[in-house]
Amino acid sequence: MLSVHDKIVAITGASGGIGEATARLLAQRGAAVVLAARRSERIDAIAQDIREEGGRAGTCVVDVTQAEDLQRLVSTTIDQYGRLDVLVNNAGIAPISPLADLDTESWSAMIDVNLRGTLNGIAAALPVFREQGAGHVVSIVSVAGLTVSPSMAVYAATKNAVRTIHEGLRTESTDGVVRTTAISPGYVRTDLADSMTDPHIRERTRTNMDAVGIPPAAVARAVAFAIEQPGDVEIGEINVRPTVQA
């Protein structure tokens, strides 16, 4: 097993939840992290906490739906630390609702953030990884795409699309330069429910998170585990969920 020490890791959606937990854990283990999100004041505060604890952390304000923002994240990381070892595609939203509600605006938003945002990250990182001769794409997917529940059809579709893209990237990466890991959590105790517009679905989701949700740090440990594996070990996908589902 290798170490995350001295790895350079950029993390999207790092203003809270899984992204924040991942940044804090990796920094504690010696990685340099660049936190990316739209909420500049939040990622600045988290990065300051990390630095005060002796870690290395930078920030970059990013909207993952904008390809140029992901390009800027990669260039900012390289400018500050000299290279990029790992990109963690974590940004995601879940304004879920039954298809019959015809909430097409939310459908488009999930496609743009969850799917297009991941593609934008891959497009920004791959040329750098190729030039460096090594790199690792880690994406937070979801078990929602494995068993589709009512009201989650579009959200699950975006996550399944990310899973498919990862598998495609893995099969294309036969020279050992680019590694891929998809991590699929179940319920995680984050503020993801805040993006849900339907009040009944939002409260039900929060109840499920409280009842069976795992802490964000559990997913962060899965990210660290994937990064720590030797380059010739292909992880593929890690499922992280409680043994009992609501």
Side-chain angles (χ1 to χ4, degrees):
M1 181 177 291
L2 302 179
S3 170
V4 300
H5 187 76
D6 285 337
K7 293 286 188 181
I8 313 301
V9 185
I11 306 165
T12 67
S15 60
I18 294 169
E20 176 184 354
T22 299
R24 290 185 183 275
L25 177 64
L26 296 183
Q28 289 169 3
R29 296 190 181 184
V33 296
V34 177
L35 292 80
R38 290 178 295 181
R39 295 184 287 175
S40 60
E41 70 288 345
R42 181 60 185 154
I43 55 175
D44 286 344
I46 297 168
Q48 182 62 29
D49 283 348
I50 291 172
R51 290 190 293 266
E52 288 176 354
E53 294 173 359
R56 294 176 293 163
T59 63
C60 184
V61 177
V62 166
D63 178 348
V64 297
T65 68
Q66 304 300 312
E68 58 271 21
D69 280 16
L70 273 302
Q71 296 283 350
R72 183 163 43 79
L73 171 61
V74 170
S75 62
T76 296
T77 303
I78 294 172
D79 288 346
Q80 187 164 355
Y81 295 110
R83 67 182 192 277
L84 172 64
D85 296 316
V86 184
L87 172 66
V88 180
N89 288 309
N90 170 69
I93 60 172
I96 61 176
S97 62
L99 290 172
D101 285 359
L102 301 180
D103 187 1
T104 57
E105 184 175 339
S106 292
W107 299 351
S108 295
M110 284 186 280
I111 292 169
D112 285 343
V113 174
N114 301 351
L115 176 55
R116 197 183 309 278
T118 297
L119 284 169
N120 287 340
I122 291 172
L126 277 187
V128 172
F129 291 165
R130 287 291 169 194
E131 183 177 353
Q132 293 175 164
H136 192 171
V137 178
V138 179
S139 292
I140 307 302
V141 193
S142 174
V143 298
L146 302 175
T147 303
V148 183
S149 302
S151 79
M152 299 188 75
V154 177
Y155 176 78
T158 63
K159 292 300 187 176
N160 261 328
V162 172
R163 179 177 285 109
T164 300
I165 288 163
H166 259 264
E167 179 61 13
L169 181 58
R170 185 191 67 79
T171 61
E172 293 175 12
S173 303
T174 57
D175 57 4
V177 172
V178 178
R179 300 177 63 205
T180 65
T181 305
I183 297 177
S184 291
Y187 282 115
V188 184
R189 298 187 194 109
T190 70
D191 60 0
L192 185 66
D194 293 347
S195 67
M196 299 175 183
T197 54
D198 185 302
H200 300 293
I201 293 175
R202 184 169 59 245
E203 290 310 309
R204 185 180 72 223
T205 301
R206 285 174 175 162
T207 298
N208 289 337
M209 285 179 173
D210 291 340
V212 300
I214 60 177
V219 185
R221 288 193 293 272
V223 175
F225 172 81
I227 295 172
E228 288 170 343
Q229 302 311 300
D232 58 351
V233 174
E234 178 59 62
I235 296 297
E237 181 167 359
I238 301 172
N239 291 339
V240 185
R241 52 182 168 178
T243 55
V244 177
Q245 291 287 327

